[in-house]
Structures are given as C-alpha cells and as structure tokens.
Amino acid sequence: MKQWLLNLNQREQLSLLALSAALVVYVLYMAVWLPVASGRDDMVVRNQHLALSLQRVDAMVSQLMVLRESGEGQSNKPNLTSVINQSTSRMNLKVSRLQPNSRGELQVRLENAAFDDVLAWLYEMEYAQGLLVREVSLTGSGSAGRVNASIRLARAS
C-alpha cells in the first residue's frame, strides 16, 4: 500500500490526504458528536418535564398544607366497621367475623348467605359507599344458592 501511495504524483497524494482528513472528520462527527448532542437534547427535554412535574408537586404540597391548616382535609366519614355493620344488618346478612388489619382494611366473613344478597351487598359497598373490594373468596355452603364469603374491604384513597 505504501508503494502504491508513493507511485502517485504529489497532487494525487495531497488529494488523497485531504479526502482522508475529511473522512476522519465525518466519522468523528457521526460517531461521537451527533450521539452526544442528541443525548444532550434528550436530557434537556427530560429536565424540562421533570421541572414541570416538580412545580406541580410543589403546588399540590402547598394545597395540602393549606387544607391541613384549615382543617378541610379531615373527613367526617363514618367508621368502616359501623358502615359494614349497618349495611349487613339492613341486607339481612349474618357476619360471623369482622377483623381489621394494620393497613386499615377490614376482613368480613359471611356464612350461609344468599349468593344474590352477597353480590348486592358488594355492589352497595363499592358503588354507594365508595369502598374498595380488595379480595373476595366464595365457597358453597352446602345449600343451593348459599355461600360462605370472605371479603377484604378498604376505604378508597
């Protein structure tokens, strides 16, 4: 290759050297500069989005602090246990166990209840009372149309 280069006249050698230098600059631009510049632009956009998110969070924190200070954030909702006791007695469902847990949820055990009544009660709990039905386990109780139910309920956040 060196021999081939030396066989070229000086003008061709200079042209080849200039072309090689231009090719090296182009490869460096494409392989190094463009990815770095593109990454920088992406980071600027992400930074702007994060700054907007931070502003929204700051505004929400300010609102929350104002609500806490004014007392408006406190709810006057009835106790979860009393809501369940009232609704089950109204729908003639027999509660055999009512057990709260550490997450503020309530485990309700219904025995030998009519399946349709259990479904109606779950509907009322979720849509009328605004509770979340976290888990439901139904097993047959031996009689037609009757079930044993274990239900975990929680307040909606």
Side-chain angles (χ1 to χ4, degrees):
M1 180 130 163
K2 185 177 181 181
Q3 186 62 34
W4 172 77
L5 185 61
L6 292 175
N7 285 340
L8 298 174
N9 65 30
Q10 188 177 6
R11 185 175 181 181
E12 290 173 339
Q13 288 176 355
L14 285 174
S15 295
L16 192 56
L17 182 65
L19 181 61
S20 298
L23 184 62
V24 166
V25 168
Y26 176 75
V27 168
L28 284 175
Y29 177 77
M30 293 301 283
V32 177
W33 182 259
L34 276 182
V36 168
S38 175
R40 182 191 163 281
D41 292 343
D42 290 344
M43 289 186 94
V44 166
V45 168
R46 269 188 273 162
N47 239 1
Q48 290 170 344
H49 289 301
L50 286 174
L52 289 174
S53 294
L54 181 60
Q55 287 176 349
R56 286 193 303 264
V57 168
D58 286 341
M60 284 188 254
V61 166
S62 298
Q63 279 182 325
L64 182 61
M65 296 303 277
V66 168
L67 287 174
R68 280 187 181 167
E69 288 173 5
S70 68
E72 291 178 29
Q74 299 174 1
S75 63
N76 294 329
K77 295 180 182 176
N79 186 339
L80 188 57
T81 306
S82 65
V83 168
I84 290 173
N85 283 334
Q86 290 171 2
S87 63
T88 53
S89 65
R90 189 172 53 249
M91 299 188 91
N92 295 323
L93 292 171
K94 181 182 170 192
V95 176
S96 63
R97 187 181 73 203
L98 199 60
Q99 180 179 4
N101 67 19
S102 61
R103 294 181 301 266
E105 300 171 341
L106 204 58
Q107 180 86 22
V108 180
R109 177 79 178 157
L110 304 172
E111 299 210 359
N112 199 26
F115 180 72
D116 292 338
D117 293 344
V118 172
L119 290 182
W121 179 72
L122 287 173
Y123 180 84
E124 179 184 336
M125 291 295 97
E126 196 161 38
Y127 293 101
Q129 299 295 334
L131 299 178
L132 294 176
V133 178
R134 295 273 188 203
E135 184 179 329
V136 175
S137 174
L138 298 173
T139 56
S141 71
S143 303
R146 305 208 58 87
V147 295
N148 296 327
S150 183
I151 303 154
R152 193 166 40 107
L153 299 167
R155 284 220 184 269
S157 315

